[in-house]
Amino acid sequence: MIPKTKLQKKVIWLSKKVDPMTEEQKQWANDALFRGYYVQVRNRNFCLECGHKWNPECKRLGKRTCPSCGTKGLKHVDHWDTDKSIYRYWAKIDMVEGCQVVRMFFAEKYLKRKQTPKYYHQEVMQHWVREDGKITSMAKLCSTMGACRRLDSWSPGTDLEVRTNSRNHQMRCNIIPDKICPGRNTLPIIRRNGYKGYFRGEAPHHFFSAILKYPKVETLLKAGQHSLFSLCVGMGDYGRNKVRQYWKSICIAMRNDYIVEDASDWLDYLGMLEQFDKDILNAEYICPDDLHKAHNHYNSQLQEVQIQQMLERDKEKIKKENVEYRANKGQFFNMRFRNKNIKIEPLTSVQQFLIEGKKLKHCIYTNSYYKRDNSLMLSARISGELVETVEVNLRKMEVSQARGFKNKPTEHHKKIVDTVRENMDKIAKRANTEAVAA
């Protein structure tokens, strides 16, 4: 793209003044980014660092040492064909005539049996950060045609240019380097605003921009509120809007030396406090000793309120469908299966479908599982706590599915399924009773 603004033209001019990549930097990147690899083909180990082949004494156990080059901790390469390329990113942080730049390099290690590895490095992006936090990014052209489907399929022969602000370009600009080259040069204002040499898992240019552009983000970093800081940087406008919404509460928490360990849960917790008309400017509420426990307490209360609202809304529908459900599945209602502390019993009303679906966040109520003819829904509880919902296929007499919270299996999944299978004859007996009666 042809540079149009004064800033873009200045960035193009400054980019010509950066130092070229040195052989020392390439060697550092090779050592820092890549480890030794080996592959096993036809009961032979091939070192992909020196090309040596040897006969292992036993089956592959993970870490190995090459008897030829002495490379220790060789990592096995899975899904081996004939060759393999491994890709990484590294960055160099520098200043050019009073401007902060984060230079992004793409590194490739090419592996092939019986050969030494080949390394390739190319500079693919430059992120220029002004003192007001504004970022101007330059990047090489990416191939988007043919069989290549990679988002970062850089074209080696192209130049660094200011690219159009497309969605793909924005996603490339979010790439976080795996390593950062030693010898970082940063603007004094960046160090003044809280940068201490670490980025806490964020992209360096987004880190710099946030502490330069948003005073609240700078305050969070200096106050040690790293979880809230990461939310502001990593989640963009959404995170910053959340922090702005509850800034008074955050200030009170900081005044009481309260460190927010999980920003997402804590902000959700403040939102629930608001719904229950609690004072979110009171340190007694907003600084709980056990955030997880307090969050779950109000979340369970909120669920009960929402369940009651749904029951009231669907009252007529549930009343009508309860009659049909009891007529079809009533013969199963007095069954109970136990296995130590596990208790499994049928869902006996449409209301239970709504409650269980709401608590476990799955679709047994919204998808009307209570209307399925050849299906029996069971509720599995451990020490009275709802754990999983189990569906039994009455035609095949087998467990169709067992789902926990958000449709995921729990740690008790196998024991629950095995308990249902052990009692499948009791279910079959009740099902046959219904068939005879019909």
Side-chain angles (χ1 to χ4, degrees):
M1 184 180 93
I2 299 174
K4 298 177 182 177
T5 66
K6 289 183 180 180
L7 177 58
Q8 291 175 351
K9 291 177 181 178
K10 182 181 179 180
V11 165
I12 294 293
W13 177 71
L14 289 173
S15 68
K16 298 176 182 178
K17 295 182 174 292
V18 299
D19 296 328
M21 185 171 24
T22 64
E23 292 301 321
E24 290 79 9
Q25 290 170 351
K26 291 180 182 179
Q27 187 58 50
W28 166 85
N30 294 342
D31 297 336
L33 293 173
F34 304 106
R35 58 183 296 181
Y37 297 90
Y38 81 99
V39 65
Q40 192 174 53
V41 179
R42 295 178 182 176
N43 295 325
R44 292 291 187 274
N45 283 357
F46 291 84
C47 176
L48 299 177
E49 303 304 308
C50 66
H52 180 69
K53 177 181 73 173
W54 75 96
N55 185 11
E57 297 178 359
C58 60
K59 293 183 178 180
R60 176 170 61 87
L61 297 175
K63 292 184 178 181
R64 292 296 183 91
T65 300
C66 175
S68 178
C69 65
T71 304
K72 296 182 179 180
L74 292 174
K75 183 180 179 181
H76 182 260
V77 178
D78 296 316
H79 310 296
W80 181 261
D81 187 10
T82 57
D83 54 6
K84 188 178 183 68
S85 290
I86 299 171
Y87 307 104
R88 297 286 187 271
Y89 283 92
W90 60 280
K92 188 174 188 306
I93 297 173
D94 213 341
M95 288 190 304
V96 179
E97 297 197 2
C99 289
Q100 189 67 57
V101 60
V102 179
R103 302 171 64 189
M104 293 287 292
F105 296 87
F106 180 72
E108 176 185 358
K109 183 176 184 179
Y110 176 76
L111 305 171
K112 192 174 179 68
R113 277 191 301 152
K114 302 179 182 180
Q115 294 182 13
T116 56
K118 296 181 175 62
Y119 298 91
Y120 304 95
H121 298 266
Q122 59 174 323
E123 187 172 7
V124 293
M125 286 188 290
Q126 289 179 358
H127 303 295
W128 296 84
V129 186
R130 293 197 317 190
E131 289 191 0
D132 61 359
K134 185 175 178 60
I135 300 174
T136 302
S137 295
M138 301 176 64
K140 288 198 169 190
L141 186 66
C142 277
S143 174
T144 57
M145 299 180 65
C148 183
R149 300 295 181 189
R150 287 175 57 90
L151 180 71
D152 55 349
S153 53
W154 307 103
S155 299
T158 58
D159 297 325
L160 289 168
E161 296 181 7
V162 178
R163 301 292 172 186
T164 55
N165 197 26
S166 64
R167 182 174 178 273
N168 284 346
H169 178 68
Q170 290 177 354
M171 293 177 69
R172 294 184 195 106
C173 289
N174 289 334
I175 294 174
I176 300 173
D178 299 288
K179 295 288 182 179
I180 296 177
C181 186
R184 309 174 190 182
N185 297 316
T186 54
L187 294 174
I189 190 174
I190 289 177
R191 297 192 296 274
R192 185 204 71 180
N193 285 16
Y195 172 64
K196 301 296 183 183
Y198 48 80
F199 296 100
R200 303 209 164 268
E202 305 297 338
H205 55 292
H206 289 320
F207 184 101
F208 292 153
S209 175
I211 62 176
L212 291 171
K213 197 172 184 179
Y214 305 105
K216 289 182 174 62
V217 179
E218 176 192 349
T219 301
L220 292 174
L221 177 63
K222 290 180 177 179
Q225 297 287 357
H226 298 133
S227 182
L228 287 167
F229 173 82
S230 296
L231 182 77
C232 291
V233 179
M235 297 294 288
D237 289 338
Y238 169 80
R240 289 189 287 271
N241 288 337
K242 276 287 188 181
V243 166
R244 192 179 299 114
Q245 179 183 353
Y246 294 110
W247 183 247
K248 290 183 179 180
S249 300
I250 293 171
C251 289
I252 292 171
M254 291 190 291
R255 199 177 303 139
N256 286 271
D257 297 324
Y258 183 78
I259 299 297
V260 178
E261 300 293 344
D262 189 330
S264 180
D265 273 3
W266 189 69
L267 293 173
D268 287 344
Y269 169 67
L270 293 185
M272 288 187 285
L273 288 177
E274 281 187 310
Q275 293 189 56
F276 286 102
D277 296 324
K278 301 297 182 182
D279 184 6
I280 61 170
L281 300 182
N282 187 334
E284 183 179 347
Y285 286 114
I286 66 175
C287 302
D289 294 330
D290 189 337
L291 173 60
H292 182 70
K293 182 179 179 180
H295 178 279
N296 288 347
H297 170 71
Y298 282 99
N299 185 51
S300 61
Q301 286 192 5
L302 185 60
Q303 278 188 344
E304 292 298 328
V305 171
Q306 292 173 346
I307 288 171
Q308 292 304 318
Q309 290 173 347
M310 293 177 69
L311 288 172
E312 185 64 28
R313 184 195 66 194
D314 298 346
K315 181 167 61 175
E316 295 300 322
K317 172 188 172 185
I318 291 173
K319 183 178 179 181
K320 180 180 177 181
E321 291 178 341
N322 251 337
V323 176
E324 185 178 347
Y325 178 64
R326 290 177 182 277
N328 292 335
K329 299 294 190 305
Q331 72 275 14
F332 298 102
F333 285 178
N334 60 350
M335 288 193 311
R336 301 290 185 275
F337 309 142
R338 286 187 177 273
N339 184 353
K340 295 182 180 179
N341 61 337
I342 297 177
K343 181 181 178 182
I344 302 174
E345 57 187 2
L347 297 174
T348 58
S349 67
V350 177
Q351 289 95 324
Q352 288 186 356
F353 279 80
L354 188 152
I355 294 170
E356 195 143 324
K358 185 68 178 174
K359 288 186 175 181
L360 294 183
K361 294 188 181 298
H362 52 45
C363 60
I364 61 167
Y365 176 74
T366 54
N367 284 354
S368 303
Y369 273 66
Y370 49 84
K371 291 184 179 180
R372 297 189 175 187
D373 292 335
N374 295 305
S375 176
L376 176 64
M377 304 304 300
L378 306 173
S379 177
R381 297 173 181 267
I382 295 182
S383 302
E385 191 72 25
L386 182 59
V387 179
E388 287 191 4
T389 306
V390 184
E391 181 183 16
V392 176
N393 187 319
L394 297 176
R395 179 176 294 175
K396 297 182 179 180
M397 285 300 157
E398 63 182 19
V399 176
S400 299
Q401 56 180 327
R403 308 283 184 176
F405 185 69
K406 291 186 176 180
N407 286 315
K408 295 179 180 178
T410 65
E411 58 180 317
H412 308 286
H413 176 77
K414 187 177 184 303
K415 192 179 292 186
I416 291 170
V417 172
D418 288 344
T419 302
V420 175
R421 286 173 177 164
E422 290 169 2
N423 292 274
M424 197 65 74
D425 56 332
K426 298 178 182 178
I427 299 175
K429 186 177 180 181
R430 298 293 180 97
N432 292 334
T433 302
E434 180 195 18
V436 170

